[in-house]
Amino acid sequence: MIFSVQRDVSKDPLTLSQVAELLEIPRQQILKTKLPLIDEPRFYYGDVMSLREEITTKDSDPLIDEHLGSGCTQYGLEFFQANRKRLGKIRMIAIYHDSINAAVDGYFVPHKGFVSGVGTPHLVLKDFEGKEIWLDGLLCGYGGEGPRGSYSLLKECGFSDEVARVVEYAPIVKVLQDEDGNVDVITRSGIETGNDQNKGIYLTDSGVLHSKSRKPEDIDRFLPHPKEAEVHIGEGERFKTLLIRDESGREMWIEASKIIADCDIEWHPLSIKQAKKTLISELNRFGFELDKGQKQTLFDIIDTKLSVKSLSRPEKLFDWMDAIIEKRKRQ
């Protein structure tokens, strides 16, 4: 690493639904109760607020379905019925069509049975004491066996038919309940895996959740609140990597080919200039706005690390590119 920058995520705007998910409290309770984490709920367009403190990661010791990874609805229901009495009154049920979104929400464990190394449930139950059960094979977002299993579980937990049927219509469903029995249902989209079962999301050797996805919508869902950016440049080598990290430790690497087209030549002044421009654009895209001094520091380091040396490319290509640069200078 040769350069790093941080940003304050504690004032990132959040929708009312996002706050409800983070605090696992029905939206109607948030609106009528002054909560210590909420800084005088500030509304923009009627539905946005910010948390005073940084978003925290989940810390639990869940009871995990022994068949996690099987995708079997019947196994999931049987495990729930065998262990239901271990939970008290249900506070939250989270259901995922693509289980990798459970990992993005913090529900994952290292698991050799998954290609990604990330063991994820399709359904999570949590009671008011914080105890959790993770189940597989109970899904949402379509009409089929998995959502029918989720519907059956919600009914067994005492939720109404109207609430239970929501599982057919959204790829992520969160059912929230307060102590008084008031129920709220939040639905949203998530990362769609398609044929890529883990969407390039995996665990590093150090246990950090990492993503290789390059789709803007996936990036926003994987790292909605980026906190730290690191620039990595190898000694005398090409521009290597931009690393983005959030407060929970999740990481995303923007590879060299994302910053500038890969090629088998040493650095040229025009390439260095383009790398700087694209790098600043990428940092801005993640909310890292460098001041004038920070930009100059970064650019000075890049100029030093990527100093132009004798070019190893063919001489004709060298002459051709220089001719283009000279022509642009004269324009």
Side-chain angles (χ1 to χ4, degrees), residues 58-250:
K58 295 176 174 60
D59 183 18
S60 63
D61 183 20
L63 179 62
I64 301 176
D65 183 351
E66 59 191 10
H67 297 101
L68 197 69
S70 70
C72 178
T73 301
Q74 188 59 38
Y75 286 160
L77 285 173
E78 289 175 357
F79 190 85
F80 165 71
Q81 290 159 354
N83 295 280
R84 171 66 181 91
K85 291 183 178 179
R86 297 194 182 192
L87 295 183
K89 184 176 181 179
I90 300 298
R91 175 180 181 175
M92 187 276 297
I93 298 179
I95 313 171
Y96 304 91
H97 178 273
D98 294 303
S99 65
I100 200 63
N101 289 295
V104 174
D105 278 354
Y107 303 113
F108 67 91
V109 291
H111 198 299
K112 294 181 179 180
F114 289 72
V115 175
S116 60
V118 184
T120 51
H122 276 108
L123 188 148
V124 175
L125 300 103
K126 180 183 290 188
D127 68 8
F128 280 91
E129 295 180 1
K131 297 193 296 290
E132 297 176 5
I133 293 180
W134 295 8
L135 304 171
D136 199 10
L138 304 173
L139 289 75
C140 59
Y142 67 102
E145 182 182 3
R148 284 196 295 271
S150 299
Y151 171 87
S152 175
L153 181 145
L154 285 166
K155 293 291 288 182
E156 286 191 46
C157 290
F159 293 102
S160 69
D161 188 74
E162 180 183 7
V163 169
R165 290 203 176 280
V166 175
V167 298
E168 298 179 5
Y169 306 114
I172 297 177
V173 176
K174 301 284 184 73
V175 180
L176 306 174
Q177 181 173 225
D178 64 17
E179 293 275 16
D180 297 326
N182 297 308
V183 178
D184 189 16
V185 180
I186 295 174
T187 61
R188 60 177 169 87
S189 57
I191 296 175
E192 298 179 4
T193 57
N195 293 327
D196 184 355
Q197 292 303 306
N198 66 320
K199 199 62 179 183
I201 295 175
Y202 61 95
L203 278 182
T204 64
D205 292 339
S206 58
V208 173
L209 200 64
H210 185 95
S211 175
K212 287 185 175 180
S213 177
R214 290 293 168 263
K215 294 176 65 176
E217 59 269 30
D218 289 346
I219 293 174
D220 290 339
R221 289 163 183 160
F222 185 75
L223 287 177
H225 304 283
K227 181 180 181 179
E228 183 179 10
E230 294 181 357
V231 178
H232 294 247
I233 297 179
E235 187 67 34
E237 298 177 1
R238 289 190 194 82
F239 189 82
K240 286 298 184 185
T241 306
L242 171 63
L243 172 64
I244 308 295
R245 182 184 294 117
D246 74 358
E247 67 284 352
S248 72
R250 287 200 299 259

Side-chain angles (χ1 to χ4, degrees), residues 272-291:
I272 295 176
K273 182 178 180 180
Q274 181 60 41
K276 292 176 182 178
K277 181 179 178 180
T278 309
L279 174 57
I280 293 300
S281 176
E282 286 293 323
L283 287 169
N284 289 341
R285 182 253 183 281
F286 285 99
F288 297 94
E289 297 183 4
L290 275 59
D291 59 33

